[in-house]
Amino acid sequence: MGTSVTISAATDQDVEQILKLQYLCYQQEAALYDDYGIEPLTQTLDALRAELGAGCVVVARLGEEVVGSVRGTVDEDGTARIAKLIVHPRMQRHGLGGRLLDALERRLAEEHSALRFRLFTGHRSDGNLRLYRSHGYVPVSTEQIGSRMGVVTLEKEPRPDVAPVAAPSGPGVGELAAQA
């Protein structure tokens, strides 16, 4: 594509764009499971702001536009929980989701001492499962949620080149430039 995409920590100014993008991206998942009441489609702006304050949120920007995002937290036992990896439909299938995932993992390991990573996706979400497997995630369990959806939990250990070290975090820390 040749367009410069930057990946960095999300700011309070990104919240509305993230929520709109989340709503757009999760339409496809909702259709796949015939369930438009899934949490990403019902999340409020205040709930997203709370997530931004409580965890680590990374965004991909094309100029001023947020075109991707992913978020995570780290439990007391060192398990990073990664959630809501989204990429604008026009930017998908160019490696941006993988770059966002890598950037978040790096930040969670370096700044929040993550010892392992865990995430989940729907059992029919083949593209998500392919992406996560290609980044070293292994399925560890599947749970049936209602009559329409199974949730696959995947985990992985951090890369050996990313040592968990507590470091200050803030805007600009760990900023990366990526080519989309």
Side-chain angles (χ1 to χ4, degrees), residues 34-97:
D34 191 29
D35 183 358
Y36 289 85
I38 58 177
E39 190 271 342
L41 295 180
T42 61
Q43 186 174 31
T44 66
L45 200 53
D46 288 339
L48 179 54
R49 280 192 183 101
E51 280 187 21
L52 185 67
C56 182
V57 181
V58 176
V59 295
R61 290 184 181 83
L62 181 61
E64 296 297 315
E65 179 187 8
V66 172
V67 294
S69 179
V70 64
R71 44 198 110 150
T73 59
V74 179
D75 294 345
E76 287 182 15
D77 71 353
T79 301
R81 298 186 184 278
I82 297 175
K84 297 183 180 107
L85 174 60
I86 55 176
V87 174
H88 194 289
R90 76 173 189 273
M91 302 293 290
Q92 291 176 2
R93 310 204 47 76
H94 296 283
L96 186 53

Short mmCIF file of all heavy atoms in Angstrom, two decimals, residues 34-97:
data_model
loop_
_atom_site.label_atom_id
_atom_site.label_comp_id
_atom_site.label_asym_id
_atom_site.label_seq_id
_atom_site.Cartn_x
_atom_site.Cartn_y
_atom_site.Cartn_z
N ASP A 34 -24.68 -14.43 14.16
CA ASP A 34 -26.07 -13.96 14.23
C ASP A 34 -26.41 -13.45 15.63
O ASP A 34 -27.43 -13.81 16.22
CB ASP A 34 -27.03 -15.08 13.80
CG ASP A 34 -28.44 -14.56 13.59
OD1 ASP A 34 -28.59 -13.37 13.24
OD2 ASP A 34 -29.40 -15.34 13.80
N ASP A 35 -25.51 -12.59 16.15
CA ASP A 35 -25.69 -12.05 17.50
C ASP A 35 -25.18 -10.60 17.52
O ASP A 35 -23.99 -10.37 17.63
CB ASP A 35 -24.94 -12.89 18.52
CG ASP A 35 -25.15 -12.44 19.95
OD1 ASP A 35 -25.85 -11.42 20.17
OD2 ASP A 35 -24.61 -13.10 20.86
N TYR A 36 -26.10 -9.67 17.41
CA TYR A 36 -25.72 -8.26 17.40
C TYR A 36 -25.73 -7.64 18.79
O TYR A 36 -25.58 -6.44 18.94
CB TYR A 36 -26.63 -7.48 16.44
CG TYR A 36 -26.32 -7.84 15.00
CD1 TYR A 36 -26.91 -8.95 14.40
CD2 TYR A 36 -25.38 -7.12 14.27
CE1 TYR A 36 -26.59 -9.32 13.11
CE2 TYR A 36 -25.07 -7.48 12.97
CZ TYR A 36 -25.67 -8.59 12.40
OH TYR A 36 -25.35 -8.95 11.12
N GLY A 37 -25.83 -8.48 19.81
CA GLY A 37 -25.77 -8.01 21.19
C GLY A 37 -24.43 -8.28 21.84
O GLY A 37 -24.30 -8.16 23.06
N ILE A 38 -23.41 -8.63 21.03
CA ILE A 38 -22.09 -8.91 21.61
C ILE A 38 -21.52 -7.65 22.24
O ILE A 38 -21.80 -6.53 21.81
CB ILE A 38 -21.12 -9.52 20.56
CG1 ILE A 38 -20.94 -8.58 19.36
CG2 ILE A 38 -21.60 -10.90 20.12
CD1 ILE A 38 -19.93 -9.08 18.32
N GLU A 39 -20.71 -7.84 23.26
CA GLU A 39 -20.20 -6.72 24.06
C GLU A 39 -19.50 -5.64 23.25
O GLU A 39 -19.71 -4.46 23.50
CB GLU A 39 -19.31 -7.26 25.19
CG GLU A 39 -18.91 -6.22 26.21
CD GLU A 39 -17.64 -5.47 25.85
OE1 GLU A 39 -16.86 -5.98 25.00
OE2 GLU A 39 -17.43 -4.37 26.40
N PRO A 40 -18.67 -5.98 22.26
CA PRO A 40 -18.03 -4.89 21.51
C PRO A 40 -19.01 -3.96 20.80
O PRO A 40 -18.69 -2.80 20.53
CB PRO A 40 -17.16 -5.63 20.49
CG PRO A 40 -16.88 -6.95 21.13
CD PRO A 40 -18.15 -7.29 21.87
N LEU A 41 -20.22 -4.45 20.50
CA LEU A 41 -21.22 -3.61 19.84
C LEU A 41 -22.11 -2.86 20.84
O LEU A 41 -22.85 -1.97 20.44
CB LEU A 41 -22.11 -4.45 18.91
CG LEU A 41 -21.40 -5.08 17.72
CD1 LEU A 41 -22.38 -5.88 16.88
CD2 LEU A 41 -20.68 -4.04 16.88
N THR A 42 -22.03 -3.22 22.10
CA THR A 42 -22.85 -2.56 23.11
C THR A 42 -22.02 -1.75 24.09
O THR A 42 -22.58 -1.07 24.96
CB THR A 42 -23.71 -3.59 23.88
OG1 THR A 42 -22.84 -4.51 24.56
CG2 THR A 42 -24.64 -4.33 22.94
N GLN A 43 -20.71 -1.80 23.97
CA GLN A 43 -19.83 -1.08 24.89
C GLN A 43 -20.08 0.42 24.79
O GLN A 43 -20.25 0.96 23.70
CB GLN A 43 -18.36 -1.39 24.60
CG GLN A 43 -17.42 -0.77 25.62
CD GLN A 43 -15.98 -1.19 25.41
OE1 GLN A 43 -15.54 -1.46 24.30
NE2 GLN A 43 -15.23 -1.25 26.51
N THR A 44 -20.08 1.09 25.93
CA THR A 44 -20.28 2.54 25.97
C THR A 44 -18.95 3.27 25.91
O THR A 44 -17.88 2.70 26.17
CB THR A 44 -21.01 2.96 27.26
OG1 THR A 44 -20.15 2.68 28.37
CG2 THR A 44 -22.34 2.22 27.41
N LEU A 45 -19.03 4.55 25.61
CA LEU A 45 -17.85 5.41 25.60
C LEU A 45 -17.20 5.44 26.98
O LEU A 45 -15.97 5.37 27.10
CB LEU A 45 -18.25 6.81 25.14
CG LEU A 45 -17.18 7.73 24.60
CD1 LEU A 45 -16.39 7.09 23.48
CD2 LEU A 45 -17.80 9.03 24.13
N ASP A 46 -18.00 5.52 28.02
CA ASP A 46 -17.45 5.55 29.38
C ASP A 46 -16.73 4.25 29.72
O ASP A 46 -15.68 4.26 30.36
CB ASP A 46 -18.56 5.82 30.41
CG ASP A 46 -19.04 7.27 30.37
OD1 ASP A 46 -18.29 8.14 29.87
OD2 ASP A 46 -20.16 7.52 30.84
N ALA A 47 -17.30 3.12 29.30
CA ALA A 47 -16.65 1.82 29.56
C ALA A 47 -15.31 1.74 28.82
O ALA A 47 -14.33 1.23 29.36
CB ALA A 47 -17.56 0.68 29.16
N LEU A 48 -15.26 2.25 27.60
CA LEU A 48 -14.01 2.26 26.85
C LEU A 48 -12.99 3.18 27.51
O LEU A 48 -11.82 2.84 27.61
CB LEU A 48 -14.25 2.66 25.39
CG LEU A 48 -13.01 2.72 24.50
CD1 LEU A 48 -12.21 1.43 24.53
CD2 LEU A 48 -13.40 3.07 23.08
N ARG A 49 -13.43 4.34 27.97
CA ARG A 49 -12.52 5.24 28.69
C ARG A 49 -11.92 4.55 29.92
O ARG A 49 -10.74 4.70 30.21
CB ARG A 49 -13.25 6.51 29.12
CG ARG A 49 -13.40 7.52 28.04
CD ARG A 49 -13.86 8.89 28.57
NE ARG A 49 -14.05 9.79 27.47
CZ ARG A 49 -15.24 10.10 26.95
NH1 ARG A 49 -16.35 9.60 27.45
NH2 ARG A 49 -15.31 10.91 25.91
N ALA A 50 -12.76 3.80 30.63
CA ALA A 50 -12.28 3.07 31.81
C ALA A 50 -11.22 2.04 31.41
O ALA A 50 -10.21 1.88 32.10
CB ALA A 50 -13.45 2.40 32.53
N GLU A 51 -11.45 1.33 30.29
CA GLU A 51 -10.45 0.37 29.80
C GLU A 51 -9.15 1.06 29.45
O GLU A 51 -8.07 0.55 29.73
CB GLU A 51 -10.98 -0.37 28.57
CG GLU A 51 -11.90 -1.49 28.87
CD GLU A 51 -12.27 -2.29 27.63
OE1 GLU A 51 -11.54 -2.25 26.62
OE2 GLU A 51 -13.31 -2.97 27.69
N LEU A 52 -9.25 2.22 28.83
CA LEU A 52 -8.05 2.97 28.45
C LEU A 52 -7.24 3.34 29.69
O LEU A 52 -6.02 3.25 29.69
CB LEU A 52 -8.45 4.23 27.67
CG LEU A 52 -7.32 5.07 27.09
CD1 LEU A 52 -6.58 4.33 25.99
CD2 LEU A 52 -7.85 6.38 26.54
N GLY A 53 -7.93 3.72 30.77
CA GLY A 53 -7.25 4.11 31.99
C GLY A 53 -6.70 2.94 32.78
O GLY A 53 -5.72 3.08 33.50
N ALA A 54 -7.30 1.76 32.62
CA ALA A 54 -6.92 0.61 33.44
C ALA A 54 -5.89 -0.30 32.78
O ALA A 54 -5.29 -1.14 33.45
CB ALA A 54 -8.16 -0.21 33.79
N GLY A 55 -5.70 -0.17 31.48
CA GLY A 55 -4.82 -1.10 30.80
C GLY A 55 -3.91 -0.41 29.81
O GLY A 55 -3.63 0.78 29.90
N CYS A 56 -3.46 -1.18 28.87
CA CYS A 56 -2.57 -0.72 27.82
C CYS A 56 -3.35 -0.80 26.51
O CYS A 56 -3.85 -1.86 26.14
CB CYS A 56 -1.35 -1.63 27.78
SG CYS A 56 -0.10 -1.18 26.58
N VAL A 57 -3.49 0.33 25.83
CA VAL A 57 -4.21 0.37 24.56
C VAL A 57 -3.28 0.95 23.51
O VAL A 57 -2.67 2.00 23.71
CB VAL A 57 -5.51 1.23 24.67
CG1 VAL A 57 -6.25 1.22 23.34
CG2 VAL A 57 -6.40 0.72 25.80
N VAL A 58 -3.18 0.24 22.40
CA VAL A 58 -2.30 0.65 21.30
C VAL A 58 -3.19 0.91 20.09
O VAL A 58 -4.17 0.21 19.86
CB VAL A 58 -1.29 -0.48 20.99
CG1 VAL A 58 -0.43 -0.12 19.79
CG2 VAL A 58 -0.41 -0.75 22.20
N VAL A 59 -2.85 1.96 19.34
CA VAL A 59 -3.60 2.28 18.13
C VAL A 59 -2.66 2.38 16.93
O VAL A 59 -1.48 2.66 17.07
CB VAL A 59 -4.39 3.61 18.25
CG1 VAL A 59 -5.47 3.50 19.30
CG2 VAL A 59 -3.48 4.78 18.53
N ALA A 60 -3.24 2.14 15.76
CA ALA A 60 -2.56 2.38 14.49
C ALA A 60 -3.23 3.59 13.88
O ALA A 60 -4.46 3.67 13.85
CB ALA A 60 -2.69 1.17 13.57
N ARG A 61 -2.42 4.54 13.45
CA ARG A 61 -2.95 5.76 12.84
C ARG A 61 -2.45 5.89 11.41
O ARG A 61 -1.29 5.67 11.11
CB ARG A 61 -2.50 6.98 13.62
CG ARG A 61 -3.11 7.15 14.96
CD ARG A 61 -2.63 8.49 15.61
NE ARG A 61 -3.19 8.65 16.92
CZ ARG A 61 -2.72 8.10 18.03
NH1 ARG A 61 -1.64 7.35 17.97
NH2 ARG A 61 -3.30 8.31 19.19
N LEU A 62 -3.38 6.31 10.56
CA LEU A 62 -3.05 6.70 9.20
C LEU A 62 -3.33 8.18 9.18
O LEU A 62 -4.49 8.60 9.13
CB LEU A 62 -3.92 5.93 8.20
CG LEU A 62 -3.69 6.22 6.72
CD1 LEU A 62 -2.26 5.86 6.33
CD2 LEU A 62 -4.68 5.44 5.89
N GLY A 63 -2.29 8.97 9.32
CA GLY A 63 -2.48 10.41 9.55
C GLY A 63 -3.12 10.60 10.91
O GLY A 63 -2.63 10.10 11.91
N GLU A 64 -4.27 11.27 10.95
CA GLU A 64 -4.99 11.49 12.20
C GLU A 64 -6.05 10.43 12.46
O GLU A 64 -6.63 10.37 13.54
CB GLU A 64 -5.66 12.87 12.19
CG GLU A 64 -4.68 14.03 12.13
CD GLU A 64 -3.78 14.09 13.36
OE1 GLU A 64 -4.28 13.95 14.49
OE2 GLU A 64 -2.55 14.24 13.17
N GLU A 65 -6.31 9.58 11.47
CA GLU A 65 -7.36 8.58 11.59
C GLU A 65 -6.87 7.32 12.30
O GLU A 65 -5.83 6.76 11.95
CB GLU A 65 -7.87 8.20 10.19
CG GLU A 65 -8.96 7.15 10.20
CD GLU A 65 -9.32 6.67 8.81
OE1 GLU A 65 -8.63 7.02 7.83
OE2 GLU A 65 -10.31 5.92 8.71
N VAL A 66 -7.62 6.86 13.30
CA VAL A 66 -7.33 5.59 13.96
C VAL A 66 -7.87 4.49 13.05
O VAL A 66 -9.06 4.44 12.76
CB VAL A 66 -7.98 5.51 15.36
CG1 VAL A 66 -7.83 4.12 15.95
CG2 VAL A 66 -7.36 6.55 16.29
N VAL A 67 -6.96 3.61 12.57
CA VAL A 67 -7.35 2.55 11.65
C VAL A 67 -7.16 1.16 12.27
O VAL A 67 -7.42 0.15 11.62
CB VAL A 67 -6.58 2.64 10.31
CG1 VAL A 67 -6.98 3.90 9.55
CG2 VAL A 67 -5.08 2.57 10.52
N GLY A 68 -6.73 1.12 13.52
CA GLY A 68 -6.57 -0.15 14.20
C GLY A 68 -6.35 0.08 15.67
O GLY A 68 -5.94 1.16 16.09
N SER A 69 -6.63 -0.95 16.46
CA SER A 69 -6.45 -0.84 17.89
C SER A 69 -6.43 -2.23 18.52
O SER A 69 -6.99 -3.18 17.96
CB SER A 69 -7.58 -0.02 18.52
OG SER A 69 -7.43 0.08 19.92
N VAL A 70 -5.80 -2.34 19.67
CA VAL A 70 -5.82 -3.55 20.48
C VAL A 70 -5.54 -3.13 21.91
O VAL A 70 -4.89 -2.11 22.15
CB VAL A 70 -4.80 -4.61 19.98
CG1 VAL A 70 -3.37 -4.12 20.10
CG2 VAL A 70 -5.00 -5.94 20.68
N ARG A 71 -6.07 -3.89 22.87
CA ARG A 71 -5.87 -3.52 24.28
C ARG A 71 -5.54 -4.73 25.11
O ARG A 71 -5.82 -5.86 24.73
CB ARG A 71 -7.09 -2.81 24.83
CG ARG A 71 -8.41 -3.41 24.47
CD ARG A 71 -9.56 -2.43 24.68
NE ARG A 71 -10.08 -2.02 23.39
CZ ARG A 71 -11.33 -1.68 23.15
NH1 ARG A 71 -12.21 -1.65 24.10
NH2 ARG A 71 -11.71 -1.31 21.96
N GLY A 72 -4.92 -4.47 26.25
CA GLY A 72 -4.55 -5.56 27.14
C GLY A 72 -4.32 -5.09 28.56
O GLY A 72 -4.09 -3.92 28.81
N THR A 73 -4.40 -6.05 29.46
CA THR A 73 -4.10 -5.84 30.87
C THR A 73 -3.22 -7.00 31.32
O THR A 73 -3.15 -8.03 30.66
CB THR A 73 -5.38 -5.81 31.73
OG1 THR A 73 -6.06 -7.06 31.57
CG2 THR A 73 -6.29 -4.66 31.35
N VAL A 74 -2.58 -6.84 32.47
CA VAL A 74 -1.75 -7.90 33.03
C VAL A 74 -2.25 -8.21 34.42
O VAL A 74 -2.35 -7.32 35.26
CB VAL A 74 -0.25 -7.52 33.05
CG1 VAL A 74 0.58 -8.64 33.66
CG2 VAL A 74 0.24 -7.20 31.64
N ASP A 75 -2.56 -9.50 34.66
CA ASP A 75 -3.00 -9.96 35.97
C ASP A 75 -1.82 -10.01 36.93
O ASP A 75 -0.66 -9.98 36.51
CB ASP A 75 -3.60 -11.36 35.87
CG ASP A 75 -4.88 -11.41 35.06
OD1 ASP A 75 -5.46 -10.34 34.80
OD2 ASP A 75 -5.28 -12.52 34.69
N GLU A 76 -2.13 -10.19 38.22
CA GLU A 76 -1.09 -10.29 39.24
C GLU A 76 -0.13 -11.45 38.99
O GLU A 76 1.03 -11.38 39.37
CB GLU A 76 -1.72 -10.41 40.62
CG GLU A 76 -2.34 -9.11 41.11
CD GLU A 76 -2.92 -9.24 42.51
OE1 GLU A 76 -2.61 -10.22 43.22
OE2 GLU A 76 -3.68 -8.34 42.89
N ASP A 77 -0.62 -12.51 38.35
CA ASP A 77 0.24 -13.67 38.10
C ASP A 77 1.09 -13.50 36.83
O ASP A 77 1.80 -14.41 36.44
CB ASP A 77 -0.59 -14.96 38.03
CG ASP A 77 -1.46 -15.07 36.78
OD1 ASP A 77 -1.54 -14.09 36.00
OD2 ASP A 77 -2.05 -16.14 36.58
N GLY A 78 1.01 -12.34 36.18
CA GLY A 78 1.81 -12.07 34.99
C GLY A 78 1.16 -12.47 33.69
O GLY A 78 1.80 -12.42 32.63
N THR A 79 -0.11 -12.86 33.73
CA THR A 79 -0.81 -13.22 32.50
C THR A 79 -1.40 -11.98 31.84
O THR A 79 -2.20 -11.27 32.44
CB THR A 79 -1.96 -14.22 32.79
OG1 THR A 79 -1.41 -15.39 33.40
CG2 THR A 79 -2.68 -14.60 31.49
N ALA A 80 -0.96 -11.71 30.63
CA ALA A 80 -1.51 -10.58 29.85
C ALA A 80 -2.76 -11.07 29.15
O ALA A 80 -2.76 -12.12 28.50
CB ALA A 80 -0.49 -10.10 28.83
N ARG A 81 -3.82 -10.31 29.29
CA ARG A 81 -5.09 -10.62 28.63
C ARG A 81 -5.28 -9.60 27.51
O ARG A 81 -5.42 -8.41 27.76
CB ARG A 81 -6.23 -10.57 29.62
CG ARG A 81 -6.05 -11.61 30.72
CD ARG A 81 -7.22 -11.69 31.65
NE ARG A 81 -6.94 -12.62 32.72
CZ ARG A 81 -7.07 -13.95 32.64
NH1 ARG A 81 -7.47 -14.48 31.52
NH2 ARG A 81 -6.80 -14.71 33.67
N ILE A 82 -5.25 -10.11 26.29
CA ILE A 82 -5.34 -9.26 25.11
C ILE A 82 -6.76 -9.32 24.57
O ILE A 82 -7.36 -10.38 24.51
CB ILE A 82 -4.31 -9.72 24.05
CG1 ILE A 82 -2.90 -9.54 24.63
CG2 ILE A 82 -4.50 -8.95 22.74
CD1 ILE A 82 -1.80 -10.06 23.76
N ALA A 83 -7.28 -8.16 24.17
CA ALA A 83 -8.67 -8.10 23.73
C ALA A 83 -8.87 -7.09 22.61
O ALA A 83 -8.11 -6.14 22.46
CB ALA A 83 -9.58 -7.73 24.92
N LYS A 84 -9.92 -7.31 21.87
CA LYS A 84 -10.46 -6.38 20.88
C LYS A 84 -9.41 -5.86 19.89
O LYS A 84 -9.23 -4.66 19.72
CB LYS A 84 -11.19 -5.24 21.57
CG LYS A 84 -12.40 -5.72 22.35
CD LYS A 84 -13.17 -4.57 22.97
CE LYS A 84 -14.36 -5.07 23.73
NZ LYS A 84 -14.21 -4.98 25.17
N LEU A 85 -8.76 -6.79 19.22
CA LEU A 85 -7.87 -6.43 18.12
C LEU A 85 -8.74 -6.09 16.92
O LEU A 85 -9.49 -6.94 16.44
CB LEU A 85 -6.92 -7.59 17.79
CG LEU A 85 -6.03 -7.42 16.56
CD1 LEU A 85 -5.11 -6.21 16.72
CD2 LEU A 85 -5.22 -8.68 16.33
N ILE A 86 -8.67 -4.85 16.47
CA ILE A 86 -9.50 -4.40 15.35
C ILE A 86 -8.65 -3.67 14.32
O ILE A 86 -7.70 -2.97 14.67
CB ILE A 86 -10.66 -3.48 15.83
CG1 ILE A 86 -10.12 -2.30 16.64
CG2 ILE A 86 -11.69 -4.27 16.62
CD1 ILE A 86 -11.19 -1.28 17.07
N VAL A 87 -9.00 -3.87 13.06
CA VAL A 87 -8.34 -3.17 11.95
C VAL A 87 -9.44 -2.76 10.99
O VAL A 87 -10.30 -3.57 10.64
CB VAL A 87 -7.30 -4.08 11.25
CG1 VAL A 87 -6.75 -3.38 10.01
CG2 VAL A 87 -6.19 -4.46 12.21
N HIS A 88 -9.40 -1.52 10.54
CA HIS A 88 -10.40 -1.02 9.60
C HIS A 88 -10.46 -1.97 8.40
O HIS A 88 -9.42 -2.41 7.89
CB HIS A 88 -10.03 0.39 9.14
CG HIS A 88 -11.15 1.08 8.43
ND1 HIS A 88 -11.57 0.73 7.17
CD2 HIS A 88 -11.96 2.10 8.83
CE1 HIS A 88 -12.58 1.50 6.81
NE2 HIS A 88 -12.84 2.34 7.81
N PRO A 89 -11.68 -2.30 7.92
CA PRO A 89 -11.80 -3.24 6.80
C PRO A 89 -10.94 -2.90 5.59
O PRO A 89 -10.39 -3.80 4.94
CB PRO A 89 -13.29 -3.18 6.46
CG PRO A 89 -13.95 -2.84 7.76
CD PRO A 89 -12.99 -1.90 8.46
N ARG A 90 -10.77 -1.63 5.28
CA ARG A 90 -9.96 -1.29 4.10
C ARG A 90 -8.47 -1.50 4.33
O ARG A 90 -7.68 -1.50 3.39
CB ARG A 90 -10.25 0.15 3.65
CG ARG A 90 -9.61 1.23 4.48
CD ARG A 90 -9.82 2.61 3.84
NE ARG A 90 -9.04 3.60 4.52
CZ ARG A 90 -9.42 4.29 5.58
NH1 ARG A 90 -10.62 4.10 6.09
NH2 ARG A 90 -8.62 5.16 6.13
N MET A 91 -8.06 -1.69 5.59
CA MET A 91 -6.65 -1.87 5.94
C MET A 91 -6.33 -3.33 6.27
O MET A 91 -5.18 -3.65 6.57
CB MET A 91 -6.28 -0.99 7.14
CG MET A 91 -6.53 0.49 6.95
SD MET A 91 -5.46 1.25 5.71
CE MET A 91 -3.90 1.20 6.54
N GLN A 92 -7.31 -4.21 6.23
CA GLN A 92 -7.10 -5.60 6.60
C GLN A 92 -6.32 -6.34 5.52
O GLN A 92 -6.27 -5.94 4.37
CB GLN A 92 -8.45 -6.29 6.84
CG GLN A 92 -9.12 -5.79 8.10
CD GLN A 92 -10.50 -6.39 8.32
OE1 GLN A 92 -10.97 -7.22 7.56
NE2 GLN A 92 -11.16 -5.94 9.38
N ARG A 93 -5.68 -7.43 5.95
CA ARG A 93 -4.93 -8.33 5.08
C ARG A 93 -3.64 -7.71 4.53
O ARG A 93 -3.16 -8.08 3.46
CB ARG A 93 -5.80 -8.88 3.95
CG ARG A 93 -7.11 -9.42 4.55
CD ARG A 93 -7.89 -10.43 3.89
NE ARG A 93 -7.45 -11.64 3.32
CZ ARG A 93 -7.11 -12.75 3.97
NH1 ARG A 93 -7.04 -12.76 5.26
NH2 ARG A 93 -6.82 -13.84 3.32
N HIS A 94 -3.10 -6.74 5.30
CA HIS A 94 -1.81 -6.14 4.96
C HIS A 94 -0.81 -6.25 6.10
O HIS A 94 0.21 -5.57 6.10
CB HIS A 94 -1.99 -4.67 4.58
CG HIS A 94 -2.82 -4.46 3.35
ND1 HIS A 94 -2.33 -4.67 2.08
CD2 HIS A 94 -4.11 -4.11 3.20
CE1 HIS A 94 -3.29 -4.44 1.20
NE2 HIS A 94 -4.38 -4.10 1.84
N GLY A 95 -1.13 -7.08 7.11
CA GLY A 95 -0.21 -7.29 8.23
C GLY A 95 -0.36 -6.33 9.39
O GLY A 95 0.38 -6.42 10.37
N LEU A 96 -1.30 -5.40 9.31
CA LEU A 96 -1.45 -4.41 10.38
C LEU A 96 -1.90 -5.04 11.69
O LEU A 96 -1.43 -4.67 12.77
CB LEU A 96 -2.41 -3.31 9.94
CG LEU A 96 -2.55 -2.12 10.89
CD1 LEU A 96 -1.21 -1.50 11.24
CD2 LEU A 96 -3.49 -1.08 10.28
N GLY A 97 -2.80 -6.02 11.63
CA GLY A 97 -3.25 -6.69 12.85
C GLY A 97 -2.09 -7.36 13.58
O GLY A 97 -1.96 -7.25 14.80
#
